[in-house]
Amino acid sequence: MIYRPLYVENIIKFCDTPFIKILTGVRRCGKSTILKMIMDKLREKGISDNQIISYRFDSMEYDDMTAKKMYSEIKGHLASDKRTYLFLDEVQEIDGWEKVVNSLNTDFDIDIYITGSNSRMMSSEIATYLTGRYVSFRIFPLSFEEYLSFKKEYTNVSSIHEELNGYLEYGGFPAIHLGEMSADEAYTIVRDIYNSTVFSDIVRRNHIRKLDQFERVVKFVFNNVGKTFSATSISRYLKSEHRAIDNETVYNYLEMLENAYLIYRCSRYDINGKELLKTQEKFYLADSAFQYAVLGYDSRNTASMLENIVYLELLRRGYTVNIGKLQDTEIDFIAAKENDKLYVQVTKEINKAETEVREYDRLLEINDNYPKYVLRTDAFAKGNHQGIKTMHIANFLLSKDF
C-alpha cells in the first residue's frame, strides 16, 4: 500500500470523537485502502485487534443482509470492556444502514468509519438520522503527487513534466498504477469502473429505461468538459440528432451522474456582482481517464483535460471552486477556502502574443491582491508578470504554496 497522508491524517484527527466518519467518492478511488491505513494507524497507537471490526458489504457474504441482521451481527462482535473501532465498507448496500449506524453510535462505546460510492450516501436519510453526528470526506483518485509515488514504487519515473503526460492520459485510479500497463489494459479497467457505476449505481437504481438516451447525455458531457452548457443546450443538441428529450430529464440525468461521483458541477461566479450565477455551468470528470476510456483518446481534448486535472487538485485541497465571470470575459477558476482565495488560468501553451495578452489581461482586470496564476505546459512556463505567477502545470500540482 502507498500511504495517502492527505486523507488519512485529516480523518485520524476525528478519531475518538463522537462524529461518524463518512468517506465518499467514485468507485475504485481507494476508499477501502484508506480504511485499512486508518486501522494500521490505530494499531500503531496501541489499539488491539479485538477492538477493530471491519465489514465489506459489497461481498456476496452479505447479499441477504437486512438492517436488523446488520445491527445484531455487529452488536455481537463489539468489545465488551473497551471502545470498539468499527469500519463499514460500501455500507450503502444495506437498506436502512443509517438507522443501524445511528443506533450503534448512540448505544455503545464505539468509533465508526464508513465508505460509500453512490447517491444513497447523499440521501435525505443521512440528514434525518445523522444530523450533526457525522463528518464527510470526499476521496478522489490519485493526485499527481500520489501518482508519482506509485510510479516510484512500482515502475520508473521520468521528469515530472514528462510524467504529467502519463497522468493526463491514464488518470489516477490506483489499480492502474500498480505496474506497467498498456493503454488497452488501463482503459479496460477504467471502462469497468465506468460501466459498473453507470449500470449499478445509476441505471438500475434509478430504473432508467431509455438507456440509449441516457448514454448520449453522458457522452455529450464527457465530450464537453470545461465548456459552459445547460440542460437546454443538451436537449437542443440531441433533438438535432432526432433524439427528443426534455430539459427536466436532462437535469435528472446530470444529477444522477453527480450523485454517483462521475462528474462535478462547477458554477459561474460574477466577480463584480459577487453572486453565483445559475446558468451556463461547466462539468468536470472524476478522473481524466474516463473521457479517453469511454470516447477514445483525442489529442484535441488535451487542454480541457489539463483544466480538469487542475480543477480536481483544487477540490482535493479543500477549495470551493467556481468559474469567474468578469464582464464579458471568463476566469477559468476562482478557488476559495476560509479567508484564502486564488485565481487560475489554465492553458496548454501560449504560441501567440495575442493569446498571452488575453490570458494575463483577464487576471489584471481583477482589482484585489489575492494570488493569480497562469498555468501552462510549454518551456516558458515560469516567471512573474505584474504579480501574476506563471507556472508549469506539473509544478503547480506539486506546489505546497497554495
Side-chain angles (χ1 to χ4, degrees):
M1 291 191 299
I2 302 296
Y3 186 55
R4 302 184 71 182
L6 176 66
Y7 303 110
V8 176
E9 292 174 13
N10 281 337
I11 296 167
I12 210 74
K13 290 175 185 176
F14 289 87
C15 178
D16 292 323
T17 68
F19 298 106
I20 298 159
K21 279 65 73 175
I22 301 180
L23 285 63
T24 61
V26 68
R27 285 174 178 250
R28 306 283 293 278
C29 67
K31 299 183 297 297
S32 302
T33 303
I34 289 170
L35 286 189
K36 293 177 183 177
M37 292 175 183
I38 295 169
M39 292 182 219
D40 289 341
K41 279 287 185 182
L42 292 175
R43 293 185 181 101
E44 290 174 12
K45 292 172 61 176
I47 304 300
S48 61
D49 283 340
N50 66 352
Q51 291 177 257
I52 300 173
I53 303 174
S54 65
Y55 294 87
R56 183 161 186 167
F57 289 110
D58 59 352
S59 167
M60 283 294 292
E61 182 179 358
Y62 305 108
D63 197 44
D64 61 349
M65 178 72 77
T66 64
K68 186 170 287 189
K69 287 181 181 177
M70 177 185 177
Y71 182 82
S72 298
E73 162 71 21
I74 295 171
K75 180 182 175 182
H77 286 86
L78 298 179
S80 58
D81 57 349
K82 294 180 180 179
R83 171 164 292 174
T84 299
Y85 296 84
L86 178 63
F87 294 82
L88 307 176
D89 200 5
E90 300 295 351
V91 72
Q92 80 281 344
E93 297 298 328
I94 310 299
D95 288 330
W97 67 267
E98 302 93 340
K99 291 183 180 179
V100 176
V101 168
N102 184 60
S103 295
L104 291 168
N105 194 52
T106 302
D107 298 344
F108 301 99
D109 184 9
I110 196 167
D111 195 26
I112 303 176
Y113 303 78
I114 65 181
T115 77
S117 301
N118 64 40
S119 58
R120 290 171 70 180
M121 297 303 295
M122 304 294 287
S123 65
S124 59
E125 282 82 359
I126 295 181
T128 301
Y129 294 108
L130 305 182
T131 299
R133 301 186 185 93
Y134 73 94
V135 286
S136 183
F137 301 89
R138 181 64 56 86
I139 309 300
F140 297 89
L142 301 178
S143 67
F144 184 51
E145 183 176 21
E146 290 173 324
Y147 161 83
L148 292 176
S149 296
F150 270 64
K151 290 278 287 184
K152 289 174 184 174
E153 180 72 17
Y154 298 107
T155 57
N156 297 311
V157 176
S158 304
S159 74
I160 61 169
H161 293 178
E162 291 178 12
E163 289 295 349
L164 181 63
N165 296 330
Y167 181 61
L168 178 79
E169 185 175 348
Y170 291 98
F173 285 109
I176 292 173
H177 303 296
L178 298 176
E180 290 283 2
M181 282 192 186
S182 67
D184 284 345
E185 291 169 331
Y187 292 151
T188 296
I189 292 173
V190 177
R191 276 192 295 272
D192 176 64
I193 296 170
Y194 168 79
N195 287 329
S196 60
T197 302
V198 165
F199 292 106
S200 296
D201 296 341
I202 301 178
V203 173
R204 188 177 66 190
R205 203 153 268 141
N206 294 284
H207 308 290
I208 295 176
R209 295 178 180 177
K210 296 182 179 180
L211 184 57
D212 178 67
Q213 183 185 73
F214 173 73
E215 289 187 317
R216 284 177 179 272
V217 171
V218 174
K219 289 181 179 179
F220 180 94
V221 175
F222 278 32
N223 203 37
N224 287 276
V225 169
K227 298 177 184 176
T228 53
F229 60 82
S230 64
T232 302
S233 57
I234 296 177
S235 178
R236 191 181 301 122
Y237 168 77
L238 293 178
K239 284 176 182 175
S240 72
E241 291 196 332
H242 308 291
R243 302 278 178 175
I245 183 172
D246 60 88
N247 291 352
E248 185 176 355
T249 300
V250 175
Y251 277 120
N252 289 337
Y253 287 166
L254 291 173
E255 189 173 84
M256 291 171 193
L257 291 167
E258 284 185 90
N259 288 340
Y261 308 112
L262 281 178
I263 64 173
Y264 292 91
R265 184 190 304 259
C266 189
S267 299
R268 292 193 303 154
Y269 180 81
D270 187 332
I271 296 173
N272 289 331
K274 300 186 183 303
E275 63 176 346
L276 281 175
L277 304 174
K278 297 181 179 180
T279 59
Q280 295 296 308
E281 299 157 314
K282 290 186 180 183
F283 290 85
Y284 293 95
L285 307 183
D287 191 82
S288 59
F290 274 135
Q291 187 186 75
Y292 300 135
V294 174
L295 302 180
Y297 183 79
D298 188 338
S299 60
R300 293 173 297 180
N301 293 330
T302 300
S304 63
M305 286 297 98
L306 288 169
E307 196 174 305
N308 200 116
I309 286 173
V310 172
Y311 173 77
L312 290 178
E313 185 62 27
L314 292 169
L315 290 186
R316 200 177 275 118
R317 299 199 188 197
Y319 286 95
T320 298
V321 186
N322 295 115
I323 309 150
K325 179 185 179 296
L326 189 64
Q327 297 171 0
D328 296 327
T329 63
E330 187 176 282
I331 308 300
D332 286 337
F333 300 124
I334 304 173
K337 179 171 59 175
E338 299 172 353
N339 296 321
D340 293 330
K341 186 186 292 184
L342 55 92
Y343 301 93
V344 180
Q345 284 291 100
V346 183
T347 183
K348 181 180 177 183
E349 55 192 10
I350 296 177
N351 294 320
K352 297 179 181 179
E354 55 266 31
T355 304
E356 188 158 18
V357 168
R358 184 180 69 240
E359 297 293 346
Y360 287 89
D361 279 0
R362 292 178 186 180
L363 294 174
L364 289 171
E365 289 180 27
I366 302 171
N367 295 315
D368 65 34
N369 295 318
Y370 290 111
K372 301 173 180 68
Y373 294 88
V374 171
L375 307 181
R376 40 204 277 200
T377 60
D378 54 61
F380 301 101
K382 56 186 175 181
N384 190 300
H385 174 68
Q386 297 186 48
I388 299 171
K389 192 169 185 178
T390 305
M391 293 182 72
H392 195 285
I393 291 175
N395 296 100
F396 180 82
L397 296 174
L398 299 174
S399 173
K400 306 297 182 184
D401 296 333
F402 73 95

